[in-house]
Amino acid sequence: MAQQKRVVVTGLGVVSPVGSTLDTFWAAIQAGQSGIGPITYFDASAFDTKFAGQVKGLNLDEFIPKKEQRRMDPFCHYGVAAAKMAVADSGLDMSKEDPTRVGVIAASGVGGLQILQNQMDVLRTRGPGRFSPFMIPQMISNILPGLISINHGMKGPNFAIVTACASGTHCIGEALNLIRRGAGDAFVCGGAEGAICELGVGGFNAMRALSTRNDSPQTASRPFDKDRDGFVMGEGAGMLIIEEYEHAKARGAKIYCELAGFGCTGDAYHITAPDESASGPSRGMMLAMQDAGVGPAEIDYINAHGTSTSLNDAGETKAIKIALGEADARRTAVSSTKSMTGHLLGAAGGVESVVCALAIRDSVLPPTINYTTPDPACDLDYVPNVARKAKVRACLNNSLGFGGHNATLCFKAL
């Protein structure tokens, strides 16, 4: 049997509520800074939740011409920008690559919700003859990898995997599998989201999924804390360049870490609630470790899905204990960077994979901020409030989506 190809991370790009360059983002995460504040995109006074994690520090003109900006939904603005950052960071020169060997797998969990909302307003106020001819291509989730491939001339496998809040993670995992299969040398992969609009906030409010801590937005996202009352919407994008190891070495690329394993499962339980047995996410973590060839004792950090909802955080804690075993679970650092960024929905897995790569590079465990009151159902080491220096040999990144979609990636130090 041929030895399995190794895959490494060579480029990172991020657009987020705490910063939209790699350096500003990572500095904010290490410092435990919240990116949550009042919604300014629309009048939220009538909504139960009046705050979110809006993108900060992004100059779109640096990445997309103004004419093209007008033909994109915000999720594409963020995804295209993050992809360009990641390509630049990786030093990947498409003029020296076989374009059929470079692919793009990227998605949004929600897609073009803002353009859909805007065009519904057009329909009601101006009639059906005034629809934008760009409406359909603007709103479909798969337009994102299409745009990225067009921008960079990447002609390899190109598609979107949409699994709600696990979308970005599934995209990265499938890119790993394609490289291993020999279907490409390098991929842009990750997720993007731009759903902070009336439809997005109102829809999640109707589900009673969002925090309503309107008097203190910066402390509203409090994963694993006893007083958590719902998640906080965020927006942005996280993109990775992953490559076959020998390909990366041959071109002299800098390497952040190895992308060593991927596991995905289904709950087959409920459209939004996690299975109380935690069998789905725990099995996903075990499959990722098995795929990576690492045992629970080698996992030093887990970037948890950690949404700040009652059911998710308790269920994920249980899943970690099942996957790693009680002793190793208690030894392992677990944190949720959603405490700072909010929940970026389909972009979460991409952004949090960026965190994992940087945690390995810099030997830093990011904190879970706003952790003040322990919950008996959440009793692991959540790296409370302050980042911690520690060597990270291997880490897991969990993403769990509505519909019972579970995905876990395993990153390793090279």
Side-chain angles (χ1 to χ4, degrees):
M1 182 178 175
Q3 187 174 7
Q4 182 166 264
K5 294 176 184 289
R6 298 178 73 186
V7 178
V8 292
V9 178
T10 60
L12 303 173
V14 67
V15 172
S16 86
V18 298
S20 295
T21 68
L22 204 56
D23 289 344
T24 56
F25 168 79
W26 187 227
I29 292 294
Q30 292 180 87
Q33 294 176 4
S34 172
I36 311 305
I39 292 170
T40 61
Y41 296 159
F42 61 91
D43 180 2
S45 59
F47 288 75
D48 292 338
T49 298
K50 303 170 180 29
F51 56 89
Q54 297 181 175
V55 158
K56 295 179 181 65
L58 177 65
N59 181 0
L60 265 185
D61 296 341
E62 294 179 11
F63 302 98
I64 308 170
K66 283 192 181 296
K67 183 177 179 181
E68 292 181 27
Q69 289 176 31
R70 292 193 292 271
R71 297 175 177 176
M72 294 181 191
D73 186 87
F75 87 92
C76 285
H77 292 158
Y78 306 148
V80 167
K84 288 188 174 181
M85 292 178 203
V87 171
D89 183 49
S90 74
L92 191 70
D93 183 350
M94 286 303 296
S95 70
K96 298 177 180 177
E97 299 291 331
D98 176 351
T100 68
R101 302 284 300 167
V102 183
V104 187
I105 308 180
S108 164
V110 176
L113 198 61
Q114 295 200 40
I115 190 67
L116 176 64
Q117 176 178 291
N118 292 342
Q119 289 299 295
M120 284 301 298
D121 288 342
V122 168
L123 172 65
R124 287 168 178 152
T125 59
R126 301 168 67 189
R130 301 308 300 241
F131 277 124
S132 166
F134 297 102
M135 181 185 75
I136 298 301
Q138 279 181 308
M139 64 177 284
I140 52 177
S141 293
N142 61 292
I143 201 65
L144 175 59
L147 289 168
I148 294 168
S149 70
I150 292 165
N151 284 334
H152 300 280
M154 297 169 174
K155 299 183 178 181
N158 185 285
F159 55 94
I161 300 173
V162 178
T163 50
C165 304
S167 298
T169 304
H170 272 112
C171 288
I172 296 166
E174 187 56 26
L176 166 67
N177 287 336
L178 285 169
I179 294 175
R180 285 173 169 174
R181 282 211 312 262
D185 298 321
F187 278 82
V188 181
C189 50
E193 205 76 83
I196 300 174
C197 59
E198 290 97 324
L199 276 180
V201 176
F204 281 119
N205 267 157
M207 293 175 62
R208 303 194 181 280
L210 297 182
S211 170
T212 55
R213 199 181 289 260
N214 293 302
D215 58 339
S216 183
Q218 291 195 331
T219 67
S221 185
R222 44 199 316 112
F224 306 108
D225 187 89
K226 187 174 185 294
D227 296 327
R228 62 192 183 277
D229 73 324
F231 78 84
V232 176
M233 284 185 72
E235 61 173 359
M239 295 290 169
L240 279 62
I241 306 298
I242 65 170
E243 298 181 49
E244 193 272 323
Y245 179 45
E246 296 300 331
H247 179 272
K249 279 205 307 182
R251 69 176 189 86
K254 75 171 181 295
I255 294 173
Y256 285 95
C257 60
E258 181 175 0
L259 175 55
F262 174 52
C264 58
T265 65
D267 281 350
Y269 177 72
H270 189 272
I271 58 170
T272 57
D275 183 350
E276 292 180 7
S277 75
S279 61
S282 61
R283 193 160 48 89
M285 283 183 265
M286 288 187 276
L287 289 170
M289 288 187 287
Q290 179 184 337
D291 191 34
V294 302
E298 296 169 82
I299 301 297
D300 294 317
Y301 172 61
I302 297 174
N303 189 292
H305 190 56
T307 58
S308 186
T309 61
S310 177
L311 293 178
N312 174 90
D313 296 1
E316 190 173 9
T317 297
K318 183 176 181 178
I320 291 168
K321 292 177 184 178
I322 294 169
L324 270 63
E326 191 84 23
D328 282 315
R330 295 197 178 282
R331 175 198 57 79
T332 302
V334 178
S335 72
S336 173
T337 44
K338 289 182 179 71
S339 58
M340 295 167 272
T341 65
H343 188 353
L344 273 67
L345 309 177
V351 170
E352 289 155 15
S353 290
V354 170
V355 170
C356 288
L358 295 173
I360 289 173
R361 184 193 71 176
D362 293 347
S363 299
V364 171
L365 304 176
T368 304
I369 68 168
N370 301 322
Y371 185 82
T372 57
T373 309
D375 181 348
C378 302
D379 56 355
L380 299 177
D381 172 11
Y382 302 113
V383 195
N385 302 310
V386 179
R388 188 186 304 161
K389 291 290 288 185
K391 184 173 177 59
V392 181
R393 296 167 297 170
C395 67
L396 300 177
N397 178 18
N398 290 337
S399 295
L400 318 175
F402 284 172
H405 307 292
N406 309 302
T408 297
L409 296 166
C410 181
F411 296 89
K412 285 170 56 175
L414 199 63

